[in-house]
Amino acid sequence: MLPLWLLLPLVDGVSQNVSDYCKEMQARRPQRANVILALRGESFRNGAGQATIHTCCPSSYARQREVFASHKAFIEQLAARGFGTTRLLATTYSCSRGQNYTEDLRRWYAPWLQREADWNVLPHSAKSYSQHKRDAMASLRMPSNHLAELQADRPGLMTQSKVIDELLGRVRPIVEATPPKLLVMLRFDTAIHVKNWALFDECLGSGPLADFASHDILDLIPDSYAPCFSAWDDVHDNLGAGTMVKDMRRMFQLPPERRDCIENIQLRKLTGTCLEDDSFPDRAWYNRGHPN
């Protein structure tokens, strides 16, 4: 039987059928004791972010290992506080420089993977860049198979919404069948640390939460809200999944997110320092706007 959210046509914004589905699933209030951790985005990154296109050098390997250590500690702390076991679903990109670091990444996270399909590595060429950036990449002699094909209608599209769509498509049937106690969506380049676990537990009682900085890093979706989050059909192109949380809270008529709830969670983007592409045209601008 098809889930309810698939049965009706979509309309502008989040569709009415998804809205109805969200309210139905939230009303069920199942008792569930496990965690779904959905990790997304580029791994083994270098430099400040979008303006850096090479991945996977020795320094980025070391920083990615630090990120993994924080994720491992977070999973273990959730288990110790009664959230149950964690199942990982992940989508990342392959290395741009030819190293096979993503195989190591998979081995690190293997204890929390239940099935082969829970881990997905997209080709680096799946990323999209503007023609201006493609020319810069070519000048850096990046192999042609690492140059992403332009999307004619939306050149330079941010890559996160693409990964969010793909990952939520795999999360959806899992959380619909058995909503977890907690669904966490987090980026592969971001370390996480909870300062006060009593406050963490309290804040989850207020509904779904997302980071305040860019709404592009962290989403915390408690129990029966998880199917709604996974079924949302209005993923914003440039702001990632966090804007979905704000829309969900409005739909459920929840009060604004508490700032102390998000500030209780320390998030750090950790990237390498192999900046062979330092001549990339956006680089100086990006470093001024996004200091390390």
Side-chain angles (χ1 to χ4, degrees):
M1 179 179 177
L2 290 174
L4 175 62
W5 66 273
L6 281 176
L7 298 180
L8 297 175
L10 303 182
V11 295
D12 291 338
V14 64
S15 59
Q16 182 62 47
N17 51 302
V18 167
S19 176
D20 293 342
Y21 170 80
C22 287
K23 292 171 183 176
E24 176 193 318
M25 293 301 293
Q26 201 274 338
R28 291 183 184 178
R29 294 284 182 186
Q31 295 298 313
R32 187 69 177 161
N34 76 315
V35 177
I36 298 294
L37 173 59
L39 289 178
R40 62 181 174 88
E42 199 166 52
S43 52
F44 302 102
R45 301 184 79 176
N46 288 305
Q50 288 288 340
T52 306
I53 42 190
H54 287 309
T55 63
C56 300
C57 72
S59 68
S60 68
Y61 189 98
R63 299 311 293 272
Q64 192 67 53
R65 185 72 187 181
E66 291 181 55
V67 172
F68 164 71
S70 80
H71 294 174
K72 181 175 182 289
F74 179 63
I75 291 169
E76 291 171 346
Q77 289 163 337
L78 286 172
R81 294 191 67 81
F83 283 85
T85 59
T86 291
R87 178 177 179 179
L88 172 69
L89 289 94
T91 299
T92 189
Y93 292 96
S94 60
C95 291
S96 70
R97 302 299 297 271
Q99 291 89 339
N100 203 25
Y101 287 174
T102 52
E103 282 300 309
D104 288 355
L105 190 70
R106 190 188 188 286
R107 283 193 291 270
W108 300 345
Y109 287 96
W112 303 285
L113 295 170
Q114 291 188 11
R115 301 177 183 177
E116 189 71 25
D118 290 350
W119 184 266
N120 190 24
V121 179
L122 301 174
H124 194 265
S125 58
K127 300 189 72 175
S128 0
Y129 298 103
S130 66
Q131 187 63 52
H132 174 65
K133 293 184 178 182
R134 282 168 57 86
D135 291 343
M137 293 162 77
S139 73
L140 293 168
R141 298 183 177 87
M142 290 186 71
S144 59
N145 62 331
H146 292 154
L147 299 182
E149 291 300 321
L150 280 174
Q151 295 193 8
D153 57 336
R154 289 184 289 177
L157 176 69
M158 293 287 198
T159 59
Q160 287 297 330
S161 62
K162 180 187 302 182
V163 175
I164 292 167
D165 279 332
E166 190 278 338
L167 187 53
L168 287 181
R170 292 189 288 127
V171 168
R172 189 172 300 134
I174 296 170
V175 300
E176 182 181 61
T178 50
K181 192 166 187 177
L182 177 65
L183 168 62
V184 180
M185 180 172 273
L186 181 63
R187 291 170 58 121
F188 256 117
D189 62 1
T190 302
I192 185 170
H193 172 71
V194 176
K195 301 174 187 176
N196 182 329
W197 279 95
L199 179 59
F200 180 88
D201 294 343
E202 175 188 333
C203 291
L204 287 181
S206 70
L209 301 168
D211 71 279
F212 277 102
S214 64
H215 284 91
D216 181 38
I217 302 172
L218 172 69
D219 303 283
L220 297 171
I221 315 298
D223 51 72
S224 53
Y225 292 100
C228 177
F229 181 80
S230 69
W232 206 258
D233 54 15
D234 186 25
V235 178
H236 298 253
D237 287 338
N238 292 325
L239 293 178
T243 51
M244 295 157 57
V245 166
K246 297 179 77 69
D247 292 345
M248 283 176 60
R249 292 187 70 90
R250 282 194 292 268
M251 185 184 71
F252 285 112
Q253 298 183 324
L254 299 173
E257 298 160 273
R258 286 170 44 184
R259 184 166 291 275
D260 63 330
C261 289
I262 293 300
E263 291 178 347
N264 182 46
I265 302 170
Q266 183 181 35
L267 300 170
R268 292 185 303 143
K269 285 190 178 182
L270 298 178
T271 59
T273 56
C274 301
L275 301 181
E276 294 89 342
D277 58 347
D278 201 49
S279 60
F280 190 59
D282 286 351
R283 185 118 215 31
W285 168 84
Y286 205 95
N287 273 339
R288 284 198 300 272
H290 299 72
N292 288 327

